[in-house]
Each structure stands twice: as C-alpha cells, then as structure tokens.
Amino acid sequence: MSYNGKIQLVPLLRVAIACVAGILVGDKLVCHVHAVTWLSLAVLSLLIAGISQCRSDRHIEKTKSGFHFHLRQGWMELTTVALFMASFFIGAACVQHEEMVMNPPLSGHAEEVRGVVVSAVSEKEGRSRCDLLVTCGPFVGHLLRVTVREKILPWQVGDGIAVWTVVRGGQSVFHSSHLAFDYHRWLIVHGYIGTASVRSDGWRVCPQSLEQLSLISRLRVAALTARAALLRQIFPVEAQRLQHTSGSSHLSQEELDEAAVVAAMAMGEKSMLRTSLRDAYSISGVSHVLALSGLHLGILFGLLTLLLGRHPHWWTLPLFLLTIWGFTFLVGCGASVLRSATMLTVYQVMKTFHRQGVSLNVWAFALWMLLLINPLSLWDVGFQLSFMAVLGILTLGYLLCTYERPWRYRFTLTRKEKSIRSLLAFLYVSFSAQLATAPLVMYYFHRFSCYFFLTNLLVIPLTTILLYLIVAALLLFPLRGVLLTLTTGCAHMMNLFVSGVAALPGASIEGISINEVQLVAIYVVMILICHLFFVLLHPGLCKDIL
C-alpha cells in the first residue's frame, strides 16, 4: 500500500485538525445541537470505521502462487473518513459538555461560598483580588475570582476562606480599540465560574475539607501551597510585597523587580510583576521568558538527561515522568507548560522503548489530547501562542536549518563550523517562533516587536543561566545565599537590557488592528510563500520534515 502523499506520515495531524474543526462548529451550534447528538454521531462514525476496516482486511485473491491478502482501497478510504468524522464529532461533543459545565445557573442572591485560596493576593486601587477554588456546594471544583473591598488581606495560598457574596458572570467591556472583550468568555476559558465582590466584613478564615474535590484538584491545591511556601522560603519577596503595598518595605523598586522576575521564571508566579515591566518585555519581544514554557521544561529535561543518561531505561521512565509532571503541577499547569510536558512525555516514552518519534505527530498528539481534556483551551491566548511557536520551529525552523550550507553533506565539522551552526540554529529557531506567533500577537496585543532578534541574543542565554542558578540554589543549600545573589544579578542585567531595548526608537509598531479574516489571510500568505520557496524551488529539503 503506498502513501497518499507525505501527509499520510502524520495521521494525528489530520485527526487534530478534525477535532479543532469540531470544537469550532460545536461552539457555534451550542444552542441548536445537544452534546448527546454529537456523541451519538461519533459512536456511529466509529462503528462505520470498524466495519469498513474489517471489510478491507478480508479481501483474498487467488493467484497461481497461492492466496494473497489485498486491501480494498475504497473501504480503507471510508475508514479514514469515518475516523476523521469521529474526531470531529467528539470535539463538538466535548466543547458543548464543557460549556454546559462552566455555565451553571446563578441564583443572583447572596450566599456563602467556601473555598481554598489558590493564587497570591494582588492589590489595586484599594481593593484586593485573588482566586478561590470552591470546595463545596453547587460550584465545587470551579474557580471564583474574588474581589474584596479592602487594601491589605492576610490570605495565603492554601488558606480556607468562607465569603458571603453574590456570584456573577462577567460582562463584555470595550477597550479604546473599539473591539469588544467578552469577559464572561475569558472567565470560562480559564476555568472561572464567575466573579464575586465581597465587603470588608463579608469573609472569614475557616478550615476547608477537600474531600469533594477531584484527585487532580487536590493535587493542584497541594502543589500550589508547596510553591507558595517555597517562594516564601527562598525568595522572601512574597512577604516583602505585602509590606511594600503598605509603604513599609525596605526593598527598592529595582530589587522588587529583580525578585519578581526570578519568581516568574522559577515558579510561574507573575502577580508581583509591575505593568511597566511587563510592557517592556512585551515591546522587546521577549515576554515568552516570563511565562513558563518549553524553554524552562527543556532545561529541566536537559538536567534529567545529564543525571539519568542519554539512553533511558524502563526504570528511569517513572522518575522522569514524576519530575516533569510534578514541576508542571507545581507551577500551576499553564497552557504552555502542559503542552511542553505532554510532548516531552510522548518523546521520552518513545525513546525509552526504542521507537522513532515524528515531531509533527507528537505536536498533533499533544494538541489533540489537551483539547479533549479541555476544549475551551482553544480560545486561550497562551495555548494558541505556545502551539503556534512550536509549529513554526518544527516546520520553518527545520527548513531554515537544513537549507544550503557548506557543511550540509559532511559528517565531521570543525569547532568553528560547529559554533557557527549552533548560532545559526539559535537564530533560525528564534526567528521561526517569532514569525509563527507574530500574527497572533498583532491580533491580540496590537503590536509588532521590531528588535526581537537583538533582544533574544542576550535574554535567552541569561535566562538559561538564571534557571540553572535557581536549580543549583534549590539543591546546594550551603551555597544558597551566593547563588541567589548571582541569580538576582542576572535578573538585574536582564531588566536593564530589556528596558533599554524597549526605550529605543521604533522598538515596536503599535496600534495594529486586524480581524479574524485578516489573521487567517496572513497565515495563508505565509504558508504559500514557504511552500513556494521550500517545496517547489527546493523540494529536497522537505523529505524528512514529516
């Protein structure tokens, strides 16, 4: 049986695309078609796929040399179409079920809501805000964004809280760009059941039982509590932040910024980052280093490979998975971290059992699996940016790295050629990731960073050094003070450099406004240009990409 084009080598890519299409259609028809209907259609498609597969395998042809089995091409094509339709219907059923769960009826009356604090308390305009994981009642297992009319709250992550409030859904608000922002949609995409405004005397601290929560939710609470304790122990800025809001902190603003960057890169705690510092990283084109992503898990993966060996054994696989997923829960299970952890898990399992991994297949499997778990992630900006960045690296980055070079057909390279190749590979990867995410950045944030190449040249190495220093500070207790001093020094250099680049003339093009049609058109043009240059003009480059 011959392959019907190279796309046959990545069947999971087509399955993932069908699932994405089903999620989009199911979201549009949420009020017209019930989830049970979609699920019934999915079961019917799977039955058709099974029957057609059996029919294609039972065709026997008698020849002079004996009996031979042949695949009936028509039945095989029916099997393929049925499987894709099953993925489409499953995606539609999952998104409708998730939207029903995330949109329960709200009473509109004041009631007592009990939960556990799962985020650091942030203060703005005399009000405090944090996230509460509801532990009992009709909203059990959901997040509630709580705003208290009080400037300073003594709440810590893991504290049990009972509040007397009215739970409300978010409303659409309008920005200066005249584009509507659906706050209610944003809330349900990120797992929030709604918002609650609490008076200063409308809350009390009381222990909460976690028995009604799922195992995943209980593990998440335990991990977030451990992260908060670790931050207070190693980075005392958490306690200093509370003093700073009341005006009694002895830390300067630079020291607070350094500690905030370290906390964001080490544990994913970004509540202490000032808006101006966030904007500086965004304008410079390196805001991705503040969000835990594949870069951070890649460094952790490198350390595990160094400790466990380049050739994994079956007995090292549980240790690897426990470390990767333990860190993922510890930092809050963000979209980019989940994507990276899933891809690394699949890669390590295939490597352990001596199976050859296909990059796009692994990428598609991670996309498909995470969308089945939470189909609303498709509208998460971090989820979109993370997967598009990796897709750009796996396609455009690979093509650029294999483009005409003097050493392309040589097996031995000099030290100078290896250094040049490493530098070019770093530039190609950075360029590919930025180009793949640039349309999304323009669509959501209305800007394009012009100096991202310059900034990444220094920020990525500094980030790598900083993360290694943090790991060393966790492991080498006697040298913790010295290592943390070096860590804050790296963060200080990074903040100075990023702020300097952001202040340069023409650092970014602001005020870009594009709609969904223009966004899709930009990606289509990019794909056509890459297809023209790499596939039509240099077809030999694409022979191994799939």
Side-chain angles (χ1 to χ4, degrees):
M1 181 178 178
S2 60
Y3 289 112
N4 183 20
K6 290 185 179 297
I7 195 66
Q8 284 285 85
L9 299 177
V10 279
L12 288 179
L13 180 61
R14 295 183 292 174
V15 172
I17 292 175
C19 183
V20 170
I23 291 174
L24 293 175
V25 173
D27 177 69
K28 294 295 183 182
L29 300 179
V30 66
C31 298
H32 305 283
V33 184
H34 199 273
V36 177
T37 304
W38 293 118
L39 191 60
S40 302
L41 292 173
V43 173
L44 179 62
S45 299
L46 290 175
L47 288 175
I48 293 174
I51 294 173
S52 59
Q53 180 66 27
C54 294
R55 294 287 298 175
S56 65
D57 289 342
R58 291 182 177 178
H59 178 59
I60 304 176
E61 180 180 335
K62 183 178 179 180
T63 62
K64 295 181 179 180
S65 58
F67 292 93
H68 296 276
F69 287 92
H70 289 275
L71 297 178
R72 293 180 176 177
Q73 190 65 27
W75 288 105
M76 287 299 298
E77 292 176 353
L78 179 60
T79 302
T80 302
V81 172
L83 288 176
F84 293 155
M85 293 305 297
S87 180
F88 176 89
F89 294 137
I90 290 174
C94 287
V95 71
Q96 292 203 353
H97 175 266
E98 192 69 18
E99 290 192 355
M100 290 174 57
V101 170
M102 294 304 300
N103 284 284
L106 303 178
S107 64
H109 304 291
E111 56 187 321
E112 187 180 61
V113 180
R114 295 170 176 261
V116 178
V117 179
V118 292
S119 71
V121 179
S122 60
E123 187 273 329
K124 185 178 181 182
E125 298 178 355
R127 295 172 180 258
S128 299
R129 189 179 69 183
C130 71
D131 298 333
L132 209 64
L133 180 64
V134 182
T135 55
C136 60
F139 308 136
V140 61
H142 294 290
L143 291 174
L144 181 66
R145 175 149 287 189
V146 177
T147 302
V148 183
R149 302 168 192 174
E150 190 173 348
K151 187 173 183 181
I152 300 299
L153 283 177
W155 298 356
Q156 301 288 344
V157 175
D159 289 347
I161 304 294
V163 297
W164 185 259
T165 183
V166 178
V167 179
R168 303 183 186 276
Q171 301 295 326
S172 297
V173 296
F174 289 85
H175 289 229
S176 58
S177 60
H178 304 291
L179 296 176
F181 173 67
D182 192 347
Y183 186 49
H184 175 70
R185 181 70 170 184
W186 184 92
L187 287 173
I188 65 171
V189 165
H190 291 84
Y192 294 95
I193 201 67
T195 62
S197 180
V198 183
R199 299 189 311 177
S200 58
D201 59 346
W203 62 272
R204 59 189 176 91
V205 177
C206 57
Q208 299 294 326
S209 173
L210 306 181
E211 294 181 355
Q212 297 187 34
L213 296 178
S214 64
L215 177 61
I216 298 297
S217 297
R218 280 180 280 174
L219 289 175
R220 185 183 179 190
V221 172
L224 292 176
T225 305
R227 181 182 73 166
L230 193 61
L231 282 170
R232 288 193 296 268
Q233 178 185 0
I234 301 178
F235 312 112
V237 70
E238 181 66 19
Q240 291 292 335
R241 180 183 61 83
L242 296 176
Q243 298 176 9
H244 178 68
T245 57
S246 60
S248 59
S249 174
H250 67 269
L251 293 178
S252 65
Q253 188 60 61
E254 285 188 356
E255 291 172 324
L256 285 170
D257 287 342
E258 294 162 9
V261 168
V262 172
M265 292 186 179
M267 298 293 175
E269 180 55 68
K270 297 190 288 185
S271 62
M272 295 170 282
L273 290 168
R274 291 186 298 122
T275 303
S276 59
L277 188 61
R278 290 173 181 260
D279 290 340
Y281 274 82
S282 178
I283 293 172
S284 302
V286 290
S287 57
H288 58 90
V289 301
L290 296 178
L292 290 172
S293 60
L295 173 65
H296 303 75
L297 276 183
I299 293 174
L300 181 61
F301 176 78
L303 289 174
L304 289 174
T305 302
L306 183 64
L307 294 175
L308 302 178
R310 292 183 176 273
H311 304 287
H313 303 280
W314 65 266
W315 54 269
T316 63
L317 185 61
L319 180 60
F320 174 87
L321 297 180
L322 183 63
T323 304
I324 290 295
W325 286 101
F327 179 77
T328 301
F329 274 90
L330 185 65
V331 298
C333 296
S336 56
V337 182
L338 283 174
R339 187 269 311 157
S340 180
T342 305
M343 292 187 68
L344 284 175
T345 299
V346 175
Y347 171 78
Q348 190 69 6
V349 169
M350 297 179 72
K351 188 176 179 181
T352 301
F353 294 99
H354 307 288
R355 296 291 186 268
Q356 184 179 1
V358 182
S359 297
L360 282 180
N361 254 338
V362 175
W363 178 88
F365 175 80
L367 176 63
W368 181 66
M369 183 61 63
L370 293 180
L371 286 179
L372 289 184
I373 296 173
N374 183 14
L376 294 177
S377 300
L378 186 61
W379 287 272
D380 185 358
V381 178
F383 184 90
Q384 296 176 12
L385 291 173
S386 177
F387 273 94
M388 286 305 301
V390 176
L391 181 61
I393 293 172
L394 294 178
T395 53
L396 181 59
Y398 172 84
L399 294 174
L400 290 174
C401 289
T402 55
Y403 187 56
E404 296 292 341
R405 295 208 205 118
W407 51 76
R408 183 176 171 192
Y409 301 103
R410 289 166 50 189
F411 294 98
T412 59
L413 302 175
T414 64
R415 182 175 300 179
K416 181 179 179 180
E417 288 175 337
K418 289 181 179 179
S419 301
I420 296 175
R421 184 174 66 173
S422 300
L423 177 60
L424 288 176
F426 168 74
L427 294 176
Y428 292 148
V429 167
S430 177
F431 174 77
S432 303
Q434 290 285 345
L435 187 63
T437 57
L440 286 175
V441 172
M442 291 188 292
Y443 175 73
Y444 287 111
F445 305 107
H446 315 294
R447 73 160 48 110
F448 178 78
S449 302
C450 300
Y451 301 146
F452 66 88
F453 249 141
L454 172 64
T455 317
N456 278 283
L457 282 175
L458 183 63
V459 169
I460 297 299
L462 279 177
T463 301
T464 305
I465 295 172
L466 188 147
L467 293 175
Y468 276 119
L469 287 173
I470 292 172
V471 174
L474 293 174
L475 299 178
L476 304 176
F477 181 79
L479 301 176
R480 180 170 295 175
V482 177
L483 293 173
L484 288 179
T485 301
L486 295 174
T487 301
T488 54
C490 285
H492 179 69
M493 291 177 57
M494 191 181 305
N495 288 343
L496 285 179
F497 179 71
V498 169
S499 300
V501 172
L504 292 175
S508 66
I509 302 174
E510 302 288 339
I512 301 175
S513 180
I514 59 176
N515 55 33
E516 290 87 350
V517 176
Q518 293 169 326
L519 175 67
V520 174
I522 292 173
Y523 274 115
V524 169
V525 171
M526 291 169 56
I527 292 172
L528 291 177
I529 292 175
C530 292
H531 185 270
L532 172 64
F533 184 79
F534 292 109
V535 179
L536 299 181
L537 300 181
H538 301 85
L541 294 175
C542 301
K543 61 181 180 180
D544 297 322
I545 190 172
L546 301 178

